[in-house]
Amino acid sequence: MLILFLIGTIIKTICLQIDDKEFDIPQVDTPPTLESILNEVRHVAFLAIYAIHDTHSCETSSLASSDSGDRTHFKRRKKLADCSATIHGSVLRHSTLKGISAQIVSAADKVDAGLPTAITVSNVIAVGTSHGLALVFDPNQALRLCLGSTAVGAQYGAVSALSINHDCTRLLCGFAKGQITMWDLANGKLLRTITDAHPPGTAVLHVKFTDDPTLAVCNDSGGSVFELTFKRVMGMRTCESRCLFSGSKGEVCCVEPLHARADLRDHPIAQYSLLAMASLTKILVIGLKPSLKVWMTFPYGKTDPASVPQLAWQFVAVQKAVNPMLVFCRGDVVHFLLVKKDDSGAIHVMKQKQLHLNYDLISVTWINSRTLVLMDSAEKLHVFDRPSQEELETLDIAEVQLVYNSSHFKSLATGGNVSQALALVGEKACYQSVCSYGGQIVYLGTKSVHIMTLRSWRQRVDYLLKQERFVEALALAWSFHEGTAKAVVGFFGEPSKRKGIVADKMVEILCQYADRSLKKCPEQGKIQVMEQHFQDMVPVMVDYCLLLQRTDLLFNQIYNKLVENSVARGVFLECLEPYILSDRLSGLTALVMKDLLAHFQENGMMDSVENCLVHMDITSLDIQQVVKLCWDNQLYDAMIYVYNSGMNDYISPMEKLFQVIGPPLQAGKSLSDEQVVMGNKLLVYISCSLAGRAYPLGDIPEDLVPQVKNQVFEFLIRLHSVEAAPEEEVYPYIRTLLHFDTREFLNVLALTFEDFKNDKQALEYQQRIVDILLKVMVENSDFTPSQVGCLFTFLARQLAKPNNTLFVNRKLFDQVLEFLCSPDDDSRHTERQQVLLELLQVGGVAQFDENRLISLAEKAEFYQICEFMYEKKHMYDKIIYCYLKDSLRKEDIFNYIHNILSIPGYSPEEKQLVWDKALEHVQELLCIDPSKAADLVATHFADEIYPIVDKLVDENLLFQFLKCLLDPREASSNHRVLRLSPDFHELYIGLLCRFSPCSVTEFLQASKDYRLEEAIQITEQHNLHEATAYLLEKKGDIQGAFVVLLKTLKDKLSALTEENEAKMSADEEDPLQRVEVALSDTIALCQRSSHSLNQQQREALWFPLLEAMMSPQKLLKSPGFRHTSETLKQLTMQVLNSMTGFIALPSIIQRILQDPVYGKGKLAEIQGLILGMLETFNYEQTLLETTTSLLNHDLHWSLSHLRAAVSRGLHPRLDYCSICLQQYKRRQEGEEEIIIFSCGHLYHCQCLQSKDCGLPGERPSRWSCYKCTSSSQGGRGGERVAADARRGRTTSLAQIKVASAHHTAFGDAQGKKQPSETTLDAQQCQAWDQLRCIYKGPSRLAILTELCHPRGNEKPGLLNPTHPGTGSIFHSENFQLKLSPPPIVED
């Protein structure tokens, strides 16, 4: 029945046809490269068969197919965007093998073959099933063999692993119950049944042939790896097994032998039969031949235990050598190992760069030597280019319904006797469902078989074209053309031929793209929409046509198509501009050029026309038309370019430009902006022509350079122009350029003269031009001194050259000197001096008599010229005179003198002369800047201060000098304050009293170098009472200082009463403000002094002050003085409030009542004062009572919680001692103490004493829990207890000592514990001690500080004390709480 089904299935199979055009290999003129051999698919027949057409396969699109490119960056682009590096298109072609898939499903339904479990591919495809069958299909998807039977499957279990040898003659099948069979693929004969290759009861996870047909390896679910050696002895087929790796050392879950293709069988590493093994913790690479050897181990590091290890070998080309590379990973990091053999024969395994991903992998497969296909745990394929590690494509294959090998890793068929780690890895294991062969990867689904192949370059381009993604298709094709594409297959022949094939394809795409741009153009709507449409598409066509160097395609086929649409035509012409400016497009056809000029002219884009013309090939232009266009539209750059390049005429453009700027300059008119631009162009054009450069860009042909120079020189030195008027002056062209910009024209000539070497004719031109310049400028009064100076500066530079051949009459320089130094002409004084200075600096001094030059410069007041000459003669002292006379540079004299006296390089004699000259003019220096002068004196003339002070007659100048010299407040960062004798300071104090009396006190406070007695006399002489009081206080005469300030206060109070009688002027200061200032100074003195005085001395200060404030009030009782009276009352209250901290309150009241001012009448006058004092008293009393209440409440709360904590009952966990492990009622004689801790542990007192659990240095009743302390410190209980005692804490919060008696009735469960003593633990005792210290301490400020700190949800209290030393001012014992009085309430 089974045979009939298989025959029927084969008859129903449809044989596929091979596309000969796609896979026909052409003749190769040159041998292929090493890289191409590795990348190209070797098994062409197999590839052709499985690259199936629509009849038996279906294609899926890539995840990146809809977003792998972006068109927005093509808008109005000026050059091709670099998109080829990121556009790869669809790299993989996904096909379903429908013939094989249908037969697998049919076999499962009709003959109970079971579901597919494993697959392997060679020249045939073998699929294993869950019922023990192996179905072998030929390349046409026809079922060729059905190996095994369901009866065998019931015995052996499911097929768990498959492998075909390299010549496709043998098939190894591993089963879920551990058996291995070998089949002959030629006739379907069973050759071997192996049951003892590995331990029984374990499933075969992997079985794989090596390149040696007699050698294979297998890996079972126990994690062991075995070597299988096939032999044939006496006609008997046998198999010998050897354990390569035991699962007891770490389970191996993946093995991969190195397979070499037929053309690489002779590789020096192939002879070692390398085998890679992946365990749960590391990678091993071993060699099976000639003897077993471990080559490398590599640990994974930290990985997810559920991730699946992966291995894959491939021969790759690295550094022009082909060597095997191993890829392995577990998790999200892919590692590359390169195996190579050096010249000495040693084998090296080298780590390459890693690939870090953001997803876990379950499969890693090579599709060729440069391309990897990775599958993540979400069943998405990721195509990577190995050299660049760039991801090329992502493809979702969830619809495949991949077969997983979880049941075999869990060994369910043999009872599930595997480790949990291996079973966890097996959840995502799909080793037997993915295999590669011949550049193709096959995936086994539950009901289908799928194949992934690399698309050829043409298929990738066509795939994008089908989706009308032309821009991406062009970018991808260009990457093929340039050789920058990744994962490329389908190319044959030489590189030049490949480029030609791709170029033809791109031409085809461009034509289609042009048709599409016209077809998809919006027929209606705004013109901007149409323009945007073509702006997105037309530049792409232009760009690729120029990249392909196909301007014929651009200007013929494409332009002829676009010209039908006027908008497309305009966009096309405008987008040519950037390519012309970048010199990528140098020539246009006549038709396109004509349309371009017409379009730009119509749209007013003449600047663009000019920019384009100077970059274009002149042969493609109609010269007559272009010249007319340029002249009409003032396109001078383009006109010059056309004349130069088209007609080799370099003079006509100059003549035309001179005709524009010459007449207005000759008439003395100012030039317009446009004419200025033309003049500048003319100068640049002349400079370029004389330098051998083309204008505006490029170079003049070398054979024309001498001719052009000669023509330009001849043109410039013409005596008259071509159409000269009778009144035209000689040398019009040079004259015009000199009038336009003398300096720039001379710079042009200077640059030109630099190139003159031994050219005799050029030197003649040089002399001729210099003679003309002198004739034009010296004999003509139209030029300014600056222009004449520029000429002679130019000449001086030329004459100063070592190889100078110019001759200039020296008398001309003398005439110029007379002209510039003419004292009769005061106009342009600075300009003339600057011109002459520049002339001298470039070497013109050699042309003059130096003495005469200095004489003329002094008369003309050219002090910079004098400085230049004096410095040349080392007459530095005379330069000081130049600075003093030069009003513009007076400030620089200080730096000059300082540099001469400080910087080395000057002789002592020169420095002495400068020093003497500076000292001579010190008064003038002070007039310029007193601060800088004082700085200079302090640095260089410190010993000459006495003579300087004696010499200064002007007292104001002397004051400024001493101020900068002595006052510390005036000391800048760059000079120090001199410590001079007290005489100078007292002299300065006297001057300060005269010129700045308000600053006297500040200076006295800042300085310490004056004598007190003399300073007091000076301040008293100038009636500066505040300064006098400060000095008396500093001297120690407090009473004297107070008398001075009190007298000042009384004077201002008396002035207050007098000014109230007379009207005060608007400009004068408010007398009340003067009284307030005087009073505040007096109060401040009294407060500063009262700390060091006794009670009698304090009263001698405060009471006179109070009387002084109270006495004027009786004179201000009229209604007109109400405001003044109220103000004085407030000031009096201020005095009283200040007194209360130093004078007793009864003494103040008694003194007020005894005052004669209030001795008569009722107490109404002093009622306000007394009430204010009482309110202050009430306020302070209320504050004190409130603070005391808070402290008492907090103390009560803390003590109640302490009492509750130490008096609560404790319940022991156990009824026996935690040390001796006996019940606390063990002894029958006498009483004994039992100690219970808050942790619940119970001990005999004697047991604790034997373990030394008492706290060191404490009372005998202080204990610590032995078990808690010993367990937390590992036996170091004593150290822990001592440390806890030092930190004020222990492991148990309370301890209770209990006494027990032997006669108490414990046995009948009615025992009673009678407490004998209640104690606190260390923490509670420390808290209580701290509370007691705080409460009885000298200050209660710590408690106030405690109350102001928030504790979260915990009640603020003394159980959580703040730590001292936190930097708070409240912890200072000297701190005094100064209370403010309550506000005065007016009735």
Side-chain angles (χ1 to χ4, degrees), residues 23 38-48 50-51 121-123 261 314 365-369 435-442 451-454 489:
F23 301 102
L38 293 172
N39 287 336
E40 290 298 334
V41 178
R42 303 291 296 178
H43 303 273
V44 179
F46 181 72
L47 174 67
Y50 294 135
V121 180
S122 181
N123 291 337
R261 296 198 311 250
Q314 177 69 30
T365 314
W366 291 93
I367 199 167
N368 63 25
S369 64
C435 61
S436 64
Y437 183 77
Q440 300 166 99
I441 304 176
V442 179
I451 186 169
M452 298 291 175
T453 60
L454 288 177
V489 295

Side-chain angles (χ1 to χ4, degrees), residues 1217-1319:
C1217 175
S1218 297
I1219 296 178
C1220 64
L1221 302 181
Q1222 297 185 21
Q1223 292 185 347
Y1224 49 80
K1225 59 182 181 179
R1226 72 177 190 273
R1227 289 201 288 264
Q1228 301 297 323
E1229 68 281 356
E1231 294 184 354
E1232 60 180 339
E1233 290 183 340
I1234 305 299
I1235 299 176
I1236 303 175
F1237 291 89
S1238 61
C1239 55
H1241 295 132
L1242 179 146
Y1243 303 93
H1244 295 104
C1245 180
Q1246 295 179 356
C1247 294
L1248 279 182
Q1249 289 177 348
S1250 66
K1251 295 297 182 180
D1252 295 330
C1253 288
L1255 294 180
E1258 300 288 346
R1259 299 184 299 274
S1261 59
R1262 303 295 298 276
W1263 304 96
S1264 65
C1265 179
Y1266 168 75
K1267 194 168 184 179
C1268 293
T1269 56
S1270 61
S1271 61
S1272 61
Q1273 284 292 333
R1276 298 169 61 188
E1279 297 179 9
R1280 170 63 183 266
V1281 170
D1284 286 342
R1286 287 191 298 269
R1287 291 191 294 269
R1289 62 179 179 85
T1290 183
T1291 54
S1292 57
L1293 298 180
Q1295 307 168 358
I1296 297 180
K1297 194 181 296 182
V1298 181
S1300 64
H1302 70 276
H1303 57 269
T1304 308
F1306 286 104
D1308 47 353
Q1310 301 295 327
K1312 295 183 180 179
K1313 302 174 184 176
Q1314 300 183 8
S1316 62
E1317 182 182 356
T1318 300
T1319 62

Side-chain angles (χ1 to χ4, degrees), residues 913-924 941 951:
L913 290 173
V914 172
W915 191 87
D916 294 338
K917 183 66 69 173
L919 187 61
E920 179 184 348
H921 296 280
V922 67
Q923 187 165 352
E924 298 176 56
F941 303 92
K951 189 186 299 184

Side-chain angles (χ1 to χ4, degrees), residues 34-35 38 264 267 313-326 337-338 366 368-371 386:
L34 187 64
E35 188 73 16
L38 293 172
L264 293 173
H267 195 280
W313 286 100
Q314 177 69 30
F315 279 88
V316 300
V318 178
Q319 298 178 351
K320 299 182 180 181
V322 177
N323 287 296
M325 178 175 284
L326 175 65
L337 295 179
L338 182 66
W366 291 93
N368 63 25
S369 64
R370 297 178 62 93
T371 311
R386 176 191 58 82

Side-chain angles (χ1 to χ4, degrees), residues 866-1098:
C866 295
E867 178 187 354
F868 179 83
M869 297 305 299
Y870 289 147
E871 188 170 4
K872 189 173 182 296
K873 294 186 174 186
H874 301 285
M875 300 168 66
Y876 303 107
D877 55 322
K878 291 190 176 183
I879 296 179
I880 296 178
Y881 169 79
C882 298
Y883 277 104
L884 291 174
K885 294 297 183 180
D886 193 345
S887 59
L888 298 177
R889 299 191 305 146
K890 282 185 177 182
E891 296 287 338
D892 299 334
I893 189 173
F894 301 101
N895 291 332
Y896 175 77
I897 296 174
H898 175 72
N899 293 337
I900 293 293
L901 298 178
S902 302
I903 299 176
Y906 302 98
S907 66
E909 294 79 9
E910 293 170 348
K911 290 187 177 183
Q912 185 63 39
L913 290 173
V914 172
W915 191 87
D916 294 338
K917 183 66 69 173
L919 187 61
E920 179 184 348
H921 296 280
V922 67
Q923 187 165 352
E924 298 176 56
L925 295 177
L926 284 170
C927 294
I928 296 173
D929 191 327
S931 177
K932 292 183 179 180
D935 187 9
L936 189 65
V937 168
T939 306
H940 300 287
F941 303 92
D943 298 335
E944 301 295 326
I945 294 180
Y946 286 97
I948 292 174
V949 171
D950 293 339
K951 189 186 299 184
L952 293 176
V953 179
D954 188 348
E955 292 186 349
N956 187 19
L957 196 60
L958 177 61
F959 166 68
Q960 295 294 336
F961 174 60
L962 292 177
K963 177 180 179 182
C964 298
L965 202 62
L966 302 178
D967 199 334
R969 298 169 298 164
E970 299 294 328
S972 60
S973 59
N974 58 347
H975 83 270
R976 54 189 175 86
V977 178
L978 293 179
R979 298 296 181 185
L980 300 177
S981 64
D983 295 337
F984 284 102
H985 291 81
E986 292 155 12
L987 174 62
Y988 175 61
I989 293 173
L991 294 172
L992 198 62
C993 292
R994 292 178 54 191
F995 295 103
S996 181
C998 298
S999 305
V1000 174
T1001 305
E1002 295 181 8
F1003 173 75
L1004 294 174
Q1005 293 172 350
S1007 178
K1008 300 178 180 179
D1009 297 324
Y1010 54 86
R1011 293 169 293 188
L1012 285 176
E1013 293 296 338
E1014 283 74 4
I1016 292 173
Q1017 293 178 6
I1018 294 172
T1019 55
E1020 288 179 346
Q1021 181 181 354
H1022 292 86
N1023 295 323
L1024 296 179
H1025 303 298
E1026 181 183 356
T1028 304
Y1030 169 76
L1031 292 172
L1032 289 173
E1033 182 183 1
K1034 186 176 181 181
K1035 181 182 176 182
D1037 187 1
I1038 305 299
Q1039 188 64 34
F1042 174 74
V1043 170
V1044 172
L1045 291 179
L1046 184 62
K1047 181 178 181 302
T1048 303
L1049 177 62
K1050 290 181 178 179
D1051 292 342
K1052 293 182 179 180
L1053 286 172
S1054 61
L1056 176 65
T1057 57
E1058 294 174 0
E1059 291 181 3
N1060 274 280
E1061 296 176 358
K1063 291 185 178 180
M1064 184 180 59
S1065 62
D1067 297 335
E1068 293 181 1
E1069 184 183 1
D1070 186 1
L1072 285 176
Q1073 293 181 357
R1074 295 200 297 266
V1075 171
E1076 291 179 5
V1077 171
L1079 179 61
S1080 63
D1081 292 340
T1082 309
I1083 292 176
L1085 173 64
C1086 295
Q1087 290 176 335
R1088 288 195 303 268
S1089 305
S1090 294
H1091 295 286
S1092 58
L1093 301 178
N1094 56 31
Q1095 186 66 24
Q1096 183 179 359
Q1097 292 171 332
R1098 292 178 184 175

